[in-house]
Amino acid sequence: GESVGLHLPTLSVQEGDNSIINCAYSNSASDYFIWYKQESGKGPQFIIDIRSNMDKRQGQRVTVLLNKTVKHLSLQIAATQPGDSAVYFCAENTGTASKLTFGTGTRLQVTL
Amino acid sequence: GAGVSQTPSNKVTEKGKYVELRCDPISGHTALYWYRQSLGQGPEFLIYFQGTGAADDSGLPNDRFFAVRPEGSVSTLKIQRTERGDSAVYLCASSLLGGQEAFFGQGTRLTVV
């Protein structure tokens, strides 16, 4: 199948370690942010979202941090597993049109 | 269905031909989006439907691209006079309402030769 993100930045982590994936967004008016996971040959899969009135949100093994001052978003994955290997995209909701603007993505490789 | 379904999963066509890509959203989702993803890139917005109407088509690259959603459910993305640069994965997503969590299909990989 098609390989997503052949030339993307890559983060390699050992199984069991924590992963931190970073994203800089451009539009200070964006008020909704989402992290997606995309495996090769598949569509993006929702992981976690956060609205601009929050700076932190936790899910199962994942935490999203939002720093609006520097327009920075991060995804933390605890106890990274081989199944977490994929390309991760941050996306921002721009204005009222409900469309998402995606970042360039980061490939996460989990080594055993 | 349980998720967003896109057909075909792969489409190879000759330059200059017309193609149609189909999206079946999650039942009950009023918002439907089309995105295009080139190799090594994030998805790029094409068009957004709220019900039957195109609420935002600002991402369509030119007038060769057109999309419809006549009954507010299934949508078809139509590309006329295909060019090699149209080769990409075309992703469809739906959400219960606009601006909420969007669920993506697996995409249609279009190759123009």
Side-chain angles (χ1 to χ4, degrees):
Chain A
E2 179 181 85
S3 177
V4 174
L6 290 179
H7 305 291
L8 294 173
T10 298
L11 174 67
S12 290
V13 297
Q14 275 202 314
E15 182 180 6
D17 287 352
N18 297 334
S19 303
I20 300 177
I21 301 171
N22 296 303
C23 176
Y25 65 92
S26 55
N27 191 339
S28 56
S30 294
D31 58 3
Y32 179 54
F33 304 88
I34 309 176
W35 279 100
Y36 282 94
K37 171 186 179 183
Q38 189 172 27
E39 296 172 287
S40 185
K42 297 184 179 180
Q45 176 188 359
F46 173 91
I47 301 173
I48 190 168
D49 59 1
I50 188 168
R51 297 212 171 262
S52 59
N53 60 352
M54 303 172 68
D55 53 21
K56 180 179 180 179
R57 189 159 188 232
Q58 288 185 291
Q60 186 175 14
R61 281 202 309 119
V62 294
T63 301
V64 56
L65 299 177
L66 174 63
N67 185 331
K68 294 181 288 295
T69 303
V70 295
K71 291 188 285 188
H72 183 268
L73 198 66
S74 69
L75 176 70
Q76 301 177 0
I77 304 174
T80 313
Q81 302 169 357
D84 296 327
S85 294
V87 177
Y88 289 79
F89 293 99
C90 65
E92 58 185 297
N93 181 289
T94 308
T96 58
S98 301
K99 64 185 179 186
L100 293 173
T101 300
F102 283 78
T104 53
T106 298
R107 175 186 296 281
L108 177 65
Q109 289 182 336
V110 182
T111 58
L112 302 178
Chain B
V4 177
S5 176
Q6 292 187 247
T7 54
S9 55
N10 282 282
K11 176 71 176 178
V12 180
T13 191
E14 291 182 345
K15 178 175 178 294
K17 298 290 187 182
Y18 168 83
V19 296
E20 290 189 351
L21 311 179
R22 176 187 168 106
C23 173
D24 280 88
I26 294 172
S27 179
H29 280 194
T30 63
L32 185 146
Y33 313 81
W34 283 98
Y35 288 81
R36 177 168 71 173
Q37 186 173 28
S38 300
L39 198 61
Q41 306 286 325
E44 294 178 308
F45 171 80
L46 295 176
I47 187 169
Y48 157 57
F49 286 91
Q50 182 59 247
T52 60
D56 184 351
D57 64 358
S58 63
L60 295 177
N62 51 59
D63 61 6
R64 295 187 297 106
F65 288 74
F66 190 70
V68 296
R69 195 186 185 199
E71 297 178 359
S73 177
V74 171
S75 177
T76 304
L77 178 65
K78 308 179 180 192
I79 311 174
Q80 298 177 322
R81 305 182 304 280
T82 51
E83 299 176 357
R84 292 196 178 89
D86 298 335
S87 296
V89 175
Y90 288 81
L91 294 163
C92 177
S94 70
S95 64
L96 194 58
L97 296 171
Q100 295 186 345
E101 175 188 344
F103 296 85
F104 282 82
Q106 82 285 3
T108 293
R109 186 194 311 185
L110 176 66
T111 304
V112 182
V113 297

